[in-house]
Amino acid sequence: SMECPYMEEIKGTNILIYDKKMQKENKEPKLLDLYDAWKKGIIKTDWHAYWIGNEYEWFLSLGVNPNNLRVRQHTSDEKSHYAIDTWDLEYKFPMGWRELQGFANRGDFDLKQHQEHSKSSMEINDNGKKVLSQVVCEPSLGMGRAFMVFMFESYFYDEKRNNTVLKLNPKLAPVKAAVFPIIKSSEYEEIAQEVLKDLRKEFNVNYDKSGSIGRRYARNDEIGTPYCITIDNKSPKQKDVTIRDRDTTRQIRVKINGIRDILRKLINQEVKFEEAGKLI
């Protein structure tokens, strides 16, 4: 068997674990280090633990609250007939804990079936020994469920702003930025178009010149646009703009020729908003 060479990566990954023993004894799930849970034999195989950790970290990296996630082992009576061991990554939906992703150790079930029905050997030669390969972990993720998770995590009604704010991770936000000329005049709109043209080489960006600045911010907050760029009365002279952060509503001033670079760094979380420009 091939051992998983990436186990060091899951050290320090703390996850709420609910194994079949805890379920049988009506005990609460435990927050454990995933690596330790594998070492203690709670999660039997290394590849199984690795994939659980990998997928869990993926959800965390995109803004999911770890308190809303847990991993639960299938009990003996619910396990699929072909599975040796199955774990589910579960999410605390409004209707309770539900499966988000399954991880099944399918053993040699699949190739055994192929072999039986095709009447041809599926075995491989491993140092002179005939072996039937096994599927030690099959991570199965539903797109619809993942989408719902990100929506539940992001959807807020902001009392202070009196409107909905979709706090999507910038990597997931369909529109990365919006550009507003604050004053309706050819000078401001020309600068705005120049900024827009540059940003659209790389990102999906909105252009909005109608209504009050407050309404424009609100429209973009509702669709999850993380950054709003305003060409204001200082822009023509200073050759800079303001960038507003969707979640905190804080603003920084940034030189026009540096916007695309800063936006990329902000989206990839390579730089903190406060450090990306001059706070105003």
Side-chain angles (χ1 to χ4, degrees):
S1 76
M2 189 187 138
E3 287 181 358
C4 176
Y6 314 117
M7 293 310 282
E8 290 293 311
E9 290 177 20
I10 67 164
K11 275 186 177 174
T13 298
N14 293 315
I15 186 168
L16 210 54
I17 288 181
Y18 201 23
D19 70 4
K20 54 187 179 188
K21 192 168 178 278
M22 293 169 193
Q23 293 171 65
K24 202 177 174 185
E25 294 169 3
N26 280 326
K27 286 183 178 166
E28 287 294 306
K30 257 189 202 155
L31 191 67
L32 296 170
D33 182 303
L34 200 53
Y35 186 87
D36 292 344
W38 164 64
K39 277 291 188 193
K40 286 175 185 166
I42 296 168
I43 297 172
K44 302 278 185 291
T45 64
D46 50 359
W47 280 104
H48 218 142
Y50 167 75
W51 277 110
I52 288 169
N54 213 285
E55 299 296 289
Y56 174 67
E57 288 290 351
W58 185 77
F59 279 103
L60 296 193
S61 76
L62 292 169
V64 176
N65 180 347
N67 297 329
N68 291 334
L69 292 168
R70 73 178 187 189
V71 64
R72 185 183 72 83
Q73 187 177 27
H74 280 207
T75 55
S76 308
D77 57 349
E78 67 175 321
K79 207 166 57 182
S80 309
H81 67 281
Y82 55 76
I84 296 164
D85 190 20
T86 301
W87 289 77
D88 285 345
L89 182 63
E90 295 187 326
Y91 179 77
K92 199 198 252 174
F93 286 98
M95 61 283 197
W97 291 98
R98 294 287 189 278
E99 181 194 345
L100 170 58
Q101 181 167 15
F103 302 84
N105 180 345
R106 299 175 66 97
D108 61 8
F109 175 80
D110 299 285
L111 285 182
K112 228 178 206 163
Q113 291 294 304
H114 280 304
Q115 192 165 264
E116 205 179 294
H117 295 286
S118 68
K119 303 284 183 282
S120 58
S121 173
M122 295 286 163
E123 291 169 326
I124 57 165
N125 191 325
D126 181 26
N127 293 328
K129 197 173 149 201
K130 283 190 170 180
V131 187
L132 207 54
S133 294
Q134 301 198 7
V135 178
V136 289
C137 183
E138 173 204 35
S140 168
L141 174 62
M143 189 58 141
R145 291 175 199 203
F147 173 77
M148 290 305 292
V149 164
F150 292 122
M151 291 303 282
F152 281 125
E153 289 286 318
S154 306
Y155 190 93
F156 289 89
Y157 186 80
D158 193 309
E159 300 286 344
K160 210 168 154 191
R161 289 182 229 185
N162 202 18
N163 72 286
T164 301
V165 182
L166 197 60
K167 294 185 180 182
L168 285 169
N169 181 289
K171 287 181 184 176
L172 292 175
V175 179
K176 303 299 183 200
V179 178
F180 313 145
I182 205 162
I183 297 162
K184 273 190 178 180
S185 83
S186 59
E187 187 183 16
Y188 287 82
E189 285 180 26
E190 269 169 34
I191 297 169
Q193 285 294 338
E194 185 191 314
V195 170
L196 184 73
K197 195 178 162 189
D198 182 52
L199 293 180
R200 278 187 175 165
K201 288 173 187 166
E202 205 170 325
F203 311 106
N204 187 19
V205 181
N206 263 350
Y207 182 69
D208 193 344
K209 62 173 189 175
S210 63
S212 71
I213 197 78
R215 290 302 309 140
R216 290 186 249 181
Y217 282 148
R219 282 196 285 266
N220 281 281
D221 288 346
E222 283 180 354
I223 63 164
T225 307
Y227 305 108
C228 287
I229 297 159
T230 303
I231 286 77
D232 63 13
N233 54 6
K234 289 177 184 170
S235 299
K237 209 172 186 176
Q238 295 181 185
K239 301 280 182 280
D240 62 7
V241 295
T242 68
I243 302 182
R244 170 194 178 264
D245 180 77
R246 176 198 63 208
D247 298 345
T248 64
T249 73
R250 294 184 85 177
Q251 295 186 26
I252 53 174
R253 283 204 87 81
V254 169
K255 288 286 175 198
I256 287 172
N257 58 12
I259 300 171
R260 184 145 62 109
D261 192 40
I262 281 171
L263 191 60
R264 188 189 314 109
K265 284 177 178 163
L266 288 170
I267 291 163
N268 294 326
Q269 293 157 333
E270 289 166 14
V271 66
K272 284 194 166 75
F273 186 75
E274 288 76 10
E275 292 155 16
K278 198 165 74 182
L279 267 180
I280 56 166

